[in-house]
Amino acid sequence: MSLAGCSCMKAGPAPGFGVCTPASRRGAAARFGEPLSQEVVCYLGLELGAISIKRFADGEIYCQVGESIRGCDVFLIQPTAPPVNDALVELLITIDACRRASARSITAVLPYFGYARADRKTAGRESIAAKLTANIITEAGADRVLTMDLHSGQCVGYFDIPVDHVYGDSVILDYLASKRISTGDLVVVSPDVGGVARARAFAKKLNDAPLAIVDKRRSAHNVSQVMNVIGDVRGKVAVLVDDMIDTAGTITNAARVLHAEGAREVYACATHAVFSPPAVERLSSGVFTEVIVTNTIPVPPAHNFPELTVLSVANLMGEAIWRVYNSASVQSIRE
């Protein structure tokens, strides 16, 4: 098996497997799949496979697999991280290169699946881009998708190939447990009504902590206005839970209203650190005791700030990859 990043892992007739990232464009690989891929192969005891990715003068992407993968099971690790379109096209071209190199199977490992928020029509004449993205990944030649914390579970059904959906909350829960916050002082908060199911599941794993909900109204994309809080947060340590932080408008407004309602401390927890401007400025404004995210998307040095904690999901992804390769249960990781 070999990984590429696009990081790639391949599994063939010989025992074991490996991972790869684009050798010719290290800067782009660092923006996309390489940092997490390096940790995944460390967990698996492998080395990254060889993939050369270049750009022509007009911006077109060129990909060549640097080793034989004929008859191998290939795992391509690539979060569709910002810039999303570049990462997605790089993934598609790499899948095509692996297919034309006679790989036995290709698994697209997407720690972060971009376009997942466009998962339904909320107004006339809108695109359902999550379904379109699923279609083009399938048409490019992927046989299976392994992803983490989709924006909504229905995105699994948009693929016509098998999808293994793993959850990064176990990594965040372990970290929160190490802080030894008293259960009586803790309240889990959903930053909007749409995230209630996610927050409820998170609270259940924190010794069935109480749940609160921030009611908001969204006037436009990436623009939200907090209205009120449903639940008791006075004197409590509030833990805001979401799948991603993009511009941080929703979660920062929620934190401000929680403080106004008497919360003692506010923590923000999210799997995907998209961090589109002005997210860093908002998150570092002093409303959060700590902002806890994972490395499904690489966090560049320019986006670091004192309250930020980045947890690694490499062991979780590596275990999921190993189970897919060995036809073992992925669901049991969560159980």
Side-chain angles (χ1 to χ4, degrees):
M1 176 162 57
S2 176
L3 295 178
C6 246
S7 303
C8 136
M9 175 158 61
K10 68 175 183 182
F17 51 90
V19 185
C20 41
T21 69
S24 299
R25 199 158 63 90
R26 290 293 180 183
R31 292 203 315 269
F32 300 146
E34 186 172 5
L36 177 59
S37 302
Q38 293 285 1
E39 294 183 42
V40 169
V41 294
C42 182
Y43 172 82
L44 295 168
L46 305 171
E47 294 182 358
L48 288 172
I51 288 186
S52 173
I53 295 183
K54 304 176 183 178
R55 282 187 181 273
F56 293 105
D58 63 352
E60 292 180 9
I61 296 172
Y62 167 87
C63 174
Q64 182 182 33
V65 181
E67 58 187 280
S68 175
I69 57 172
R70 183 178 297 273
C72 293
D73 299 314
V74 175
F75 292 75
L76 294 168
I77 302 178
Q78 177 85 319
T80 50
V84 177
N85 296 331
D86 285 359
L88 178 60
V89 173
E90 184 177 289
L91 172 67
L92 298 173
I93 292 174
T94 307
I95 290 173
D96 183 68
C98 292
R99 180 174 62 88
R100 296 177 188 277
S102 301
R104 180 169 56 192
S105 69
I106 301 169
T107 299
V109 182
L110 309 175
Y112 168 67
F113 177 51
Y115 287 107
R117 285 173 286 183
D119 57 357
R120 65 193 185 281
K121 290 185 69 171
T122 58
R125 300 178 296 279
E126 283 186 338
S127 166
I128 304 179
K131 172 59 176 171
L132 173 63
T133 305
N135 285 345
I136 60 178
I137 289 173
T138 304
E139 288 300 316
D143 299 293
R144 177 182 291 270
V145 167
L146 172 61
T147 189
M148 177 171 287
D149 280 348
L150 289 168
H151 185 64
S152 61
Q154 68 200 43
C155 289
V156 171
Y158 291 163
F159 288 90
D160 296 324
I161 54 178
V163 176
D164 292 296
H165 186 196
V166 297
Y167 298 86
D169 58 0
S170 60
V171 176
I172 297 173
L173 286 163
D174 287 345
Y175 178 76
L176 285 175
S178 71
K179 303 186 82 63
R180 301 188 180 277
I181 303 171
S182 171
T183 304
D185 292 337
L186 191 65
V187 58
V188 175
V189 183
S190 172
D192 54 34
V193 175
V196 171
R198 182 185 302 107
R200 184 183 293 117
F202 195 90
K204 186 175 181 180
K205 294 174 185 177
L206 282 175
N207 297 319
D208 211 10
L211 180 68
I213 304 166
V214 176
D215 179 38
K216 74 171 185 182
R217 297 293 184 268
R218 187 181 293 277
S219 58
H221 294 301
N222 298 125
V223 178
S224 66
Q225 180 181 358
V226 171
M227 303 300 290
N228 51 58
V229 177
I230 303 169
D232 181 23
V233 299
R234 187 166 299 278
K236 301 289 186 71
V237 176
V239 178
L240 280 160
V241 179
D242 212 342
D243 63 318
M244 71 175 73
I245 299 176
D246 189 356
T247 62
T250 295
I251 206 162
T252 302
N253 289 339
R256 290 195 178 104
V257 79
L258 289 172
H259 280 297
E261 292 292 324
R264 190 170 81 243
E265 294 180 303
V266 178
Y267 289 78
C269 299
T271 303
H272 309 300
V274 181
F275 287 0
S276 303
V280 173
E281 290 78 5
R282 288 171 170 170
L283 295 171
S284 59
S285 62
V287 295
F288 296 103
T289 301
E290 191 171 4
V291 177
I292 305 166
V293 298
T294 74
N295 63 344
T296 55
I297 297 174
V299 178
H303 286 175
N304 285 326
F305 52 94
E307 297 87 356
L308 180 65
T309 297
V310 181
L311 307 176
S312 177
V313 295
N315 291 3
L316 184 60
M317 293 301 294
E319 181 64 26
I321 288 169
W322 180 250
R323 290 179 183 228
V324 169
Y325 173 58
N326 287 284
S327 300
S329 171
V330 175
Q331 177 64 28
S332 62
I333 297 176
R334 187 170 175 82
E335 296 170 353

